[in-house]
Amino acid sequence: MDTICLADPTVFKDNGMYYLYGTGSPDGFWVYQSVDLKNWSGPVGKRNGHALLKGDSYGTKGFWAPQIFKQKGKYYMAYTADEHIAIAESDSPLGPFTQKVIKAISGTGKQIDPYVFRDTDGSLYLYHVRLQEGNRIFVARLKSDLSDIEENTAKECISAEAPWENTEKVKWPVAEGPTVMKRDGLYYLFYSANDFRNIDYAVGYATASSPMGPWVKYEKNPILNRALIGQNGTGHGDFFTGNSNQLYYVFHTHHTNNSVGKRKTAIIKATFTNGKPAVSIMDKNSFQFLELKHATK
C-alpha cells in the first residue's frame, strides 16, 4: 500500500463515506474515498479523478487548501487558486464542482486558505489568510447565498508573533490553515505557523467568545508538532468526526526527515479536557498515515 500524498488536506464525511481532498494536482483537486479511514481508493472524482477540474471554475494554477461543506442539500468547495479564494458547488462530494459565474471572492491583495464556518445561529463566516507583512488570518461574514464575503466586515484574527510561530525569525512570519469550531459557547481557531518547508511547522489554537474575536492564544501551544509524533512539518489540516463521535485532525507532514517533497497525509485523534475552558489535546498514539488500497492514478 502507498501513503497518500496530499498537502493541506480535508476529510468530509457524508452518508457513511469519508472523502479526502487536498493540495496535490496542478489541475484542480483529486478526491479519495474510504468507509473505514484505513483503506482508501482513488482518485475517484467525476472529472478524471478530480472533484474540481481547472476550467470548470475560477483558477489556472496553484490549486491549494480545499474545504468541503454542505448547505441546503448542495455541496460547496472553498479553495485557493492563483492566490485568491473561490467557492464552487456540486450535487455530489465527487464533483464536478463548478461555478455559474467564474470569479474569486472580494478582498484586496492575495488571499488563501479558506475555511467556511457555520455558527449555531446559521450565520456564515469565512476565515482565510491575507498576505500582508506575513501570512495573517482574517475573518469576514459570508453572504447567506455564498456568493461573496461582506468585505466591510473583514477583521484580522491572529498573526505569527510567538517564538514557536517563527523559529527561523524570518521577516515574513506565517500563520495559516485556519479551522474553526464551537464548543460550550467558546470558539476555537486552530492554525499552523512557520513556513510549511520549515521542520518546525506546527499547530496551535486560540479561543474567543465571538466568531469575530478577539482571540487569545493557548499558552501551551503548539499542540501538534514534530516533538509529539516524530515527523517534520506537521500541520495545515482540518477536523472531522468519525464513528462513535470520535474527533480527528487530518494534516500533512514532510515526505521524509530530509525532504519536504510530496507531503504525506495523516490523521490523529483529538480530544478535549473536561475543564472550562476545555483544552484541546492530540493523541500521539493514534497517529497514522493514510494508505491507498489500490492506486488508480
Side-chain angles (χ1 to χ4, degrees):
M1 295 212 294
D2 299 318
T3 299
I4 296 175
C5 293
L6 289 179
D8 319 323
T10 187
V11 169
F12 175 74
K13 187 181 182 185
D14 190 59
N15 295 323
M17 183 71 75
Y18 298 96
Y19 299 91
L20 169 69
Y21 313 77
T23 303
S25 169
D27 297 318
F29 298 103
W30 291 315
V31 55
Y32 296 81
Q33 64 184 21
S34 173
V35 294
D36 58 9
L37 297 178
K38 291 183 172 59
N39 300 291
W40 292 85
S41 59
V44 291
K46 294 282 184 68
R47 300 279 276 139
N48 191 28
H50 295 78
L52 182 146
L53 186 65
K54 178 170 67 177
D56 286 344
S57 61
Y58 178 84
T60 60
K61 63 184 185 304
F63 290 91
W64 305 336
Q67 180 220 358
I68 309 296
F69 59 100
K70 196 173 183 179
Q71 176 90 336
K72 297 179 180 176
K74 282 271 191 181
Y75 300 90
Y76 292 87
M77 178 187 287
Y79 66 97
T80 306
D82 298 325
E83 293 186 295
H84 287 81
I85 291 168
I87 298 176
E89 68 176 67
S90 176
D91 292 322
S92 164
L94 298 178
F97 284 87
T98 64
Q99 286 182 313
K100 294 182 179 71
V101 179
I102 306 290
K103 70 179 186 100
I105 66 163
S106 300
T108 56
K110 294 178 178 179
Q111 302 182 112
I112 64 173
D113 294 0
Y115 183 83
V116 175
F117 171 71
R118 181 170 51 228
D119 205 349
T120 44
D121 66 358
S123 299
L124 297 173
Y125 299 86
L126 182 72
Y127 292 85
H128 57 286
V129 173
R130 295 193 176 189
L131 278 55
Q132 50 186 59
E133 298 178 6
N135 285 19
R136 297 168 179 265
I137 296 176
F138 277 71
V139 62
R141 281 185 172 271
L142 188 61
K143 293 180 180 178
S144 59
D145 64 359
L146 305 168
S147 63
D148 208 343
I149 60 169
E150 297 175 10
E151 173 62 14
N152 63 343
T153 67
K155 183 179 180 182
E156 184 172 338
C157 299
I158 57 171
S159 60
E161 299 168 319
W164 76 269
E165 297 170 337
N166 188 5
T167 61
E168 294 182 341
K169 298 177 179 172
V170 297
K171 292 181 179 179
W172 188 275
V174 171
E176 63 185 17
T179 297
V180 176
M181 68 172 70
K182 187 178 185 180
R183 184 181 177 88
D184 295 330
L186 197 63
Y187 298 85
Y188 289 75
L189 167 58
F190 294 84
Y191 63 97
S192 298
N194 290 299
D195 187 286
F196 75 89
R197 291 162 291 198
N198 186 339
I199 62 173
D200 294 322
Y201 196 61
V203 177
Y205 72 89
T207 56
S209 57
S210 160
M212 301 296 289
W215 298 92
V216 178
K217 293 176 181 176
Y218 176 49
E219 60 187 13
K220 294 183 180 178
N221 281 337
I223 61 167
L224 176 62
N225 61 1
R226 63 191 179 100
L228 184 73
I229 62 167
Q231 299 285 333
N232 291 341
T234 56
H236 198 137
D238 194 6
F239 286 93
F240 68 96
T241 302
N243 294 332
S244 303
N245 284 325
Q246 174 62 58
L247 188 65
Y248 290 89
Y249 185 69
V250 58
F251 62 103
H252 70 242
T253 73
H254 288 177
H255 196 73
T256 69
N257 282 341
N258 301 312
S259 165
V260 176
K262 289 185 176 180
R263 287 165 283 171
K264 296 195 289 191
T265 312
I267 58 173
I268 192 169
K269 290 180 179 178
T271 58
F272 283 87
T273 63
N274 292 324
K276 280 195 177 270
V279 173
S280 178
I281 299 172
M282 300 290 187
D283 175 11
K284 66 179 181 181
N285 295 321
S286 67
F287 166 79
Q288 67 179 75
F289 286 115
L290 298 186
E291 304 289 345
L292 195 56
K293 183 170 59 176
H294 48 81
T296 58
K297 199 170 197 64

